[in-house]
Amino acid sequence: METKSYKEYLEHITTFIFDVDGVLTDGTVTVLTSGEMLRKMNIKDGYALKTAINKGYKICIISGGSNEGVRARLQGLGITDVFLGSHDKIEQLNLYMSQNNIKLENVLYMGDDIPDYPVMKLVGLPCCPQDAVPEIKVISKYISHKNGGQGAVRDVIEQVLKVQDNWQGNFDAKYD
């Protein structure tokens, strides 16, 4: 049986769904004496997210974490569908897809660890950063050459937008 190259899925993607820790961040947390937990995000990922939104793609965040600083950053990029504290990611995925009339084959989901596994088994294009855990790499149709928090999100968004002729010449997107 012939398997499809991940590139054959790119032209059908309309929706990007991302986990946060280990995907949009490098998975490390700096804990301050106050108990506040700081995460670091890549500005190039932010640019790609903003560009995708400006081009009409749906962006959704589903994370088990609940850091409100993460929500503020993502909403600042124009992402309105930010679901933090989601411990049943399949339930959140199904609700989001139903509310937005999205088909599974049109979804790219990038995750990096075991909580992402069930969702990734359902979507059209499961992807992961280079430093994802082995169980996630096995089910990913694409493994970015970039690590989480170091451009993996930019990598997948740029590939989809280029295949769909939505990247070239887009030098007007504003990002933070």
Side-chain angles (χ1 to χ4, degrees):
M1 184 171 136
E2 186 177 323
T3 58
K4 289 170 61 171
S5 161
Y6 82 92
K7 291 188 177 195
E8 296 178 62
Y9 295 90
L10 299 178
E11 65 187 49
H12 305 291
I13 299 301
T14 62
T15 304
F16 297 93
I17 302 179
F18 298 103
D19 179 32
V20 174
D21 292 321
V23 174
L24 283 162
T25 76
D26 65 5
T28 61
V29 176
T30 301
V31 182
L32 302 179
T33 56
S34 66
E36 184 179 3
M37 293 186 276
L38 303 178
R39 291 162 174 84
K40 182 173 62 172
M41 294 185 175
N42 189 301
I43 200 78
K44 291 181 178 84
D45 287 345
Y47 174 79
L49 289 162
K50 186 76 171 165
T51 300
I53 291 167
N54 289 345
K55 291 293 185 174
Y57 294 85
K58 292 195 176 304
I59 305 282
C60 176
I61 306 299
I62 302 177
S63 176
S66 57
N67 184 290
E68 289 304 313
V70 168
R71 182 186 311 277
R73 165 69 177 148
L74 296 170
Q75 288 177 337
L77 293 170
I79 302 170
T80 56
D81 298 311
V82 179
F83 304 101
L84 303 180
S86 294
H87 299 292
D88 186 341
K89 291 187 176 192
I90 289 179
E91 181 180 343
Q92 188 61 66
L93 172 77
N94 288 335
L95 181 61
Y96 178 75
M97 295 195 44
S98 172
Q99 290 173 340
N100 291 282
N101 197 28
I102 299 168
K103 296 178 181 172
L104 286 168
E105 62 263 25
N106 301 124
V107 175
L108 179 154
Y109 183 101
M110 181 174 266
D112 72 306
D113 209 344
I114 302 302
D116 301 305
Y117 189 97
V119 175
M120 291 177 70
K121 291 288 287 182
L122 298 175
V123 301
L125 185 52
C127 301
C128 69
Q130 177 60 43
D131 58 345
V133 300
E135 295 88 346
I136 295 300
K137 287 182 171 183
V138 166
I139 62 167
S140 292
K141 291 179 182 166
Y142 175 70
I143 300 171
S144 176
H145 62 284
K146 301 279 190 177
N147 286 342
Q150 297 180 7
V153 169
R154 164 78 175 250
D155 175 34
V156 294
I157 290 175
E158 189 173 330
Q159 286 192 60
V160 169
L161 271 61
K162 282 182 175 179
V163 162
Q164 296 181 15
D165 200 27
N166 282 321
W167 187 264
Q168 286 287 356
N170 179 18
F171 299 107
D172 296 326
K174 294 180 182 167
Y175 67 100
D176 298 309

